[in-house]
Amino acid sequence: MTNFEGTFTNFKNEKLDEFYSAIGIPWVARKMMTASSPTIEISKNDDKWTVKTSTLMSSSSNTFQLGQEYEETMMGGRSIKNTTVIEDNKMITTSQSDRGKSQRVMEFDDNGFIMTMTHEKTELVAVRHFKRV
């Protein structure tokens, strides 16, 4: 069984600025987000998962149950509707907002995970690499 729980730090990104631009994040916020290296903490309590993302500028936390829709507030105050499922060694979050559908796939191994983010309308893909600490 894949161990999804733990603390992970970002060490590499691919096409992140282009992706954030495609989903409509304003230039200043986008530059701040792409310059940061977030830490993600994932924990589980009974059937509820919590994913906490922290940077030097801010932190956010989402608690959810697999397969059930929940709301996430993005930087800048926008809300998106998410549904997260687990398949094999992947935690897959599908999001819907006024700017379209997107997906985050976190594929785990013993060293950390690779997050692949896809924006359906533009077909842009960004990749973030995280190591377990």
Side-chain angles (χ1 to χ4, degrees), residues 45-111:
N45 186 5
D46 295 323
D47 62 346
K48 292 187 179 185
W49 290 85
T50 299
V51 177
K52 181 180 178 185
T53 304
S54 302
T55 67
L56 291 174
M57 301 168 291
S58 67
S59 67
S60 64
S61 181
N62 291 297
T63 299
F64 56 89
Q65 289 180 270
L66 295 176
Q68 294 185 10
E69 186 175 86
Y70 61 97
E71 206 165 293
E72 178 179 2
T73 303
M74 304 302 287
M75 185 177 196
R78 285 183 49 246
S79 291
I80 61 174
K81 294 181 189 273
N82 294 332
T83 304
T84 301
V85 297
I86 289 178
E87 295 176 4
D88 300 319
N89 63 331
K90 298 176 185 173
M91 184 177 280
I92 303 166
T93 301
T94 303
S95 304
Q96 184 67 48
S97 75
D98 59 342
R99 296 183 179 150
K101 188 176 182 180
S102 60
Q103 189 173 68
R104 289 175 289 198
V105 178
M106 298 161 65
E107 186 168 359
F108 289 79
D109 64 22
D110 292 339
N111 300 315

